[in-house]
Amino acid sequence: MICRSYMCATRVVHTKPLDYMQDEIKRRRTFAIISHPDAGKTTLTEKLLLYGGALSLAGSVTARKNQRAATSDWMELEKQRGISISSTVLQFEYGGCVVNLLDTPGHKDFSEDTYRVLTAVDAAIMVIDAGKGIEAQTRKLFEVCRRRGVPIFTFFNKLDRPTLDPLALLDELESVLGIGACAMNWPLGTGPEFRGVLDRRTQEVHLFQRTARGAHRAPVRVGGIKDDFVKEIMDPTALERTIDELAMVDGAGHAFDRPAIERGELTPVFFGSASNNFGVQLLLDAFLDLAPPPRHRMAQGISIEPDAKGFSGFIFKIQANMDPRHRDRIYFIRIVSGKFERDMQVLNTRSGKKVRLSNSQKLFAQERQTVDVAYAGDVVGVVGNHDFLIGDTLAENPALKFEEIPYFPPECFAFLQNPVTAKFKQFREGLTQLLAEGVVQGYSMPHSVQRVPLLGAIGPLQFEVVQYRLQSEYNAESRLEPAQWRIIRWIRTKDGSPFINGNTDLPSGVATALDGQERPVALFPEVWPIKFFTERNPNLEISEFPF
């Protein structure tokens, strides 16, 4: 069932290429799903694919010869740990829209990958466990979206389990996150009494039936809240409470305001149960109706509109070895403007080199399909061994440079040893690749006796991923030795002269190193030595971020 108000631009025949391109851009919806761990983010991702027609059975991808493959958690370590470790791009068509869905890691240790992905989206669905309310990682990711002006849609999940009061959940959104909340539907009971939702836009009740393990679409019966079949299915006390709650929401809740949603000032709120498919269809239809199409991006103070003449885009993610059958590297490009065509030549505006984008792929987890044409808003994977870096701008105009990718200083450090000398080549190759992907950050200590790679990360689980992937993808063993430092600062001389390590007066426990771009940094075990460092080295200035 498609929501009656749901309207995406459909394909029509145009005589002018520009009109056709504008129509195609309007069809794009590019969004991420964000949440605290275990709120049901990956489950909701699968169910959106199920209702979007991209899956015939939740947990498996419709593929050639009916092969079954993992949907969004493609890495073996993700399956072992039960968490999303790497962001995944999933593209499908539904109801006239081209949907680019980006599943992101929820665990805080992988937040750097999530933050990069949020630069490539035009909207976000925030999943919250209705039994726990707003949690720490949810709050952090929300703030990232708010700073970028990304519209946020909220899905309160797990209504089939004991939950907090729905009115209290709405109040928490407004009081804790400081955003207006407009309930688009309302739960008919919670926990064991949860039977469905009422769509407040149509005033229709949707009563759902469970399916085995939630693998298929939930059968639904639609009617009015005072219909006899609703009274037969719902507990009388729960039904009366729901009617009272609806009256309070109608009287005191935020009114629907589409411009406020697009400005990120109001979040449409949906209730449901992803595991049982309750409310998923309503969320998907309303989201694609209300979420904005691709918007302009800033490049050095210049606004680049999606339908601007000339292709442009930026690389927000690099991933190698997604499929063991393909020992290659994929560069994920968010198209900002114009039309992408396979085999086109563009400029890497950082290096000034011309690059032919010949091996372009549309990705569906591990599944790949050649892409000949794509438009602003799409995410395209380009396969090859180009010297691209995360954040690089690819464009026909050499003057363009998007500064979209945020930088987050690492908060923990460790040395990575190669314990098997005979495997040094594999160790070096694997570590070089993982550093290029941004899995961790690499540092060198030129004045150290032993030239052992120093790694920096947001959280220690990133080190575990590095070791796992070195072993599984490159057959290289490694040994991790935690380092004492917790804080990093970039340093340079105030007069612009070259930094000389030997001229630096270092407090006890402080060390200097070079980052991946050969910029000098100082490493501190805690906060208090920073003051001593600046007092002892008045010729130096320090910064929390690279100069």
Side-chain angles (χ1 to χ4, degrees), residues 31-35 118 121-128 138-155 173 177 179-182 184 260-270 283 287 290-292 295:
F31 69 100
I33 301 182
I34 60 175
S35 77
L118 291 177
V121 303
D122 301 305
I125 294 179
M126 178 171 63
V127 183
I128 299 175
T138 307
R139 190 179 309 182
K140 290 180 181 179
L141 295 173
F142 171 84
E143 289 299 335
V144 172
C145 291
R146 173 149 57 187
R147 286 197 297 270
R148 298 190 61 82
V150 174
I152 297 174
F153 294 69
T154 300
F155 182 70
L173 274 177
L177 298 184
I179 188 172
C182 175
M184 304 300 291
I261 293 171
E262 293 178 352
R263 293 193 303 268
E265 299 171 359
L266 182 72
T267 177
V269 178
F270 301 82
L283 170 66
F287 174 80
L290 299 174
R295 299 188 290 182

Side-chain angles (χ1 to χ4, degrees), residues 225-244:
I225 196 167
K226 295 183 179 180
D227 288 357
D228 290 338
F229 78 91
V230 176
K231 297 176 181 178
E232 292 172 2
I233 293 176
M234 286 196 67
D235 176 81
T237 303
L239 179 58
E240 183 179 355
R241 183 172 63 249
T242 299
I243 293 173
D244 290 342

Side-chain angles (χ1 to χ4, degrees), residues 52-263:
L55 294 182
S56 61
L57 186 71
S60 63
V61 177
T62 303
R64 297 182 184 89
K65 301 180 182 178
N66 295 319
Q67 293 174 339
R68 296 182 62 178
T71 307
S72 56
D73 287 346
W74 58 271
M75 195 185 301
E76 188 62 33
L77 184 58
E78 293 179 303
K79 301 170 187 175
Q80 294 175 8
R81 297 294 297 264
I83 58 174
S84 296
I85 289 172
S86 177
S87 299
T88 306
V89 178
L90 305 158
Q91 188 186 76
F92 60 96
E93 291 202 30
Y94 171 73
C97 279
V98 177
V99 182
N100 295 282
L101 192 166
L102 284 73
D103 183 27
T104 61
H107 197 286
K108 63 181 179 62
D109 284 12
F110 306 110
S111 56
E112 193 171 7
D113 190 32
T114 301
Y115 295 155
R116 293 185 194 128
V117 166
L118 291 177
T119 66
V121 303
D122 301 305
I125 294 179
M126 178 171 63
V127 183
I128 299 175
D129 185 335
K132 298 177 180 178
I134 298 170
E135 299 176 87
Q137 187 67 1
T138 307
R139 190 179 309 182
K140 290 180 181 179
L141 295 173
F142 171 84
E143 289 299 335
V144 172
C145 291
R146 173 149 57 187
R147 286 197 297 270
R148 298 190 61 82
V150 174
I152 297 174
F153 294 69
T154 300
F155 182 70
F156 282 114
N157 192 22
K158 304 185 181 181
L159 265 293
D160 57 323
R161 303 180 186 180
T163 71
L164 302 176
D165 180 76
L167 290 171
L169 289 170
L170 279 186
D171 182 68
E172 187 179 32
L173 274 177
E174 298 181 3
S175 61
V176 175
L177 298 184
I179 188 172
C182 175
M184 304 300 291
N185 64 22
W186 198 255
L188 304 178
T190 61
E193 297 176 342
F194 181 54
R195 295 293 180 268
V197 297
L198 178 136
D199 186 338
R200 294 185 65 227
R201 291 199 289 179
T202 63
Q203 290 299 306
E204 291 178 331
V205 166
H206 295 249
L207 297 181
F208 302 97
Q209 297 178 25
R210 296 173 185 264
T211 62
R213 297 181 299 279
H216 302 276
R217 296 182 180 210
V220 59
R221 190 173 180 182
V222 180
I225 196 167
K226 295 183 179 180
D227 288 357
D228 290 338
F229 78 91
V230 176
K231 297 176 181 178
E232 292 172 2
I233 293 176
M234 286 196 67
D235 176 81
T237 303
L239 179 58
E240 183 179 355
R241 183 172 63 249
T242 299
I243 293 173
D244 290 342
E245 291 171 345
L246 283 167
M248 294 180 66
V249 172
D250 290 340
H254 282 268
F256 176 80
D257 184 344
R258 187 164 192 156
I261 293 171
E262 293 178 352
R263 293 193 303 268

Side-chain angles (χ1 to χ4, degrees), residues 319-322 326-333 340 355-363 368-370 380-386 388:
Q319 184 72 59
N321 309 324
M322 288 185 70
H326 303 277
R327 302 290 291 185
D328 50 25
R329 188 181 300 178
I330 301 180
Y331 303 90
F332 292 89
I333 303 170
F340 171 92
V355 182
R356 184 180 297 278
L357 304 179
S358 55
N359 192 353
S360 50
Q361 306 278 335
K362 179 175 74 172
L363 301 158
R368 304 183 185 187
Q369 181 180 342
T370 298
V380 174
V382 173
V383 181
N385 290 305
H386 308 291
F388 297 150

Side-chain angles (χ1 to χ4, degrees), residues 297-491:
R297 300 284 174 130
M298 300 302 295
Q300 296 175 309
I302 302 172
S303 176
I304 308 299
E305 297 294 334
D307 59 354
K309 186 178 180 180
F311 167 85
S312 69
F314 63 91
I315 294 171
F316 67 93
K317 180 177 175 63
I318 301 173
Q319 184 72 59
N321 309 324
M322 288 185 70
D323 189 333
R325 297 171 298 180
H326 303 277
R327 302 290 291 185
D328 50 25
R329 188 181 300 178
I330 301 180
Y331 303 90
F332 292 89
I333 303 170
R334 159 63 195 246
I335 302 175
V336 174
S337 68
K339 180 180 179 181
F340 171 92
E341 295 181 283
R342 187 163 64 94
D343 282 332
M344 72 185 305
Q345 279 196 335
V346 297
L347 276 171
N348 180 344
T349 62
R350 172 184 56 84
S351 65
K353 294 181 180 178
K354 277 191 174 183
V355 182
R356 184 180 297 278
L357 304 179
S358 55
N359 192 353
S360 50
Q361 306 278 335
K362 179 175 74 172
L363 301 158
F364 194 88
Q366 288 177 287
E367 298 295 317
R368 304 183 185 187
Q369 181 180 342
T370 298
V371 171
D372 293 318
V373 177
Y375 297 89
D378 281 335
V379 173
V380 174
V382 173
V383 181
N385 290 305
H386 308 291
D387 62 345
F388 297 150
L389 300 176
I390 290 174
D392 276 357
T393 296
L394 304 180
E396 296 179 48
N397 181 352
L400 283 186
K401 184 179 181 183
F402 297 107
E403 297 179 352
E404 296 279 341
I405 305 299
Y407 185 88
F408 296 91
E411 300 173 9
C412 53
F413 297 85
F415 291 102
L416 192 68
Q417 301 272 5
N418 170 33
V420 182
T421 306
K423 295 290 183 70
F424 176 73
K425 182 179 179 180
Q426 294 94 317
F427 176 87
R428 182 180 59 186
E429 178 187 353
L431 184 58
T432 300
Q433 171 58 44
L434 297 176
L435 290 174
E437 291 181 23
V439 177
V440 290
Q441 299 174 34
Y443 301 87
S444 61
M445 306 185 78
H447 303 285
S448 177
V449 176
Q450 290 185 324
R451 298 294 181 89
V452 179
L454 175 65
L455 307 183
I458 300 296
L461 276 179
Q462 290 177 265
F463 297 141
E464 185 178 334
V465 172
V466 168
Q467 289 190 282
Y468 176 84
R469 291 188 60 188
L470 281 174
Q471 180 67 60
S472 62
E473 298 174 19
Y474 298 93
N475 193 27
E477 296 181 19
S478 60
R479 185 174 69 248
L480 198 70
E481 295 180 0
Q484 61 176 323
W485 306 296
R486 296 290 178 270
I487 301 171
I488 186 171
R489 293 290 186 269
W490 277 260
I491 54 179

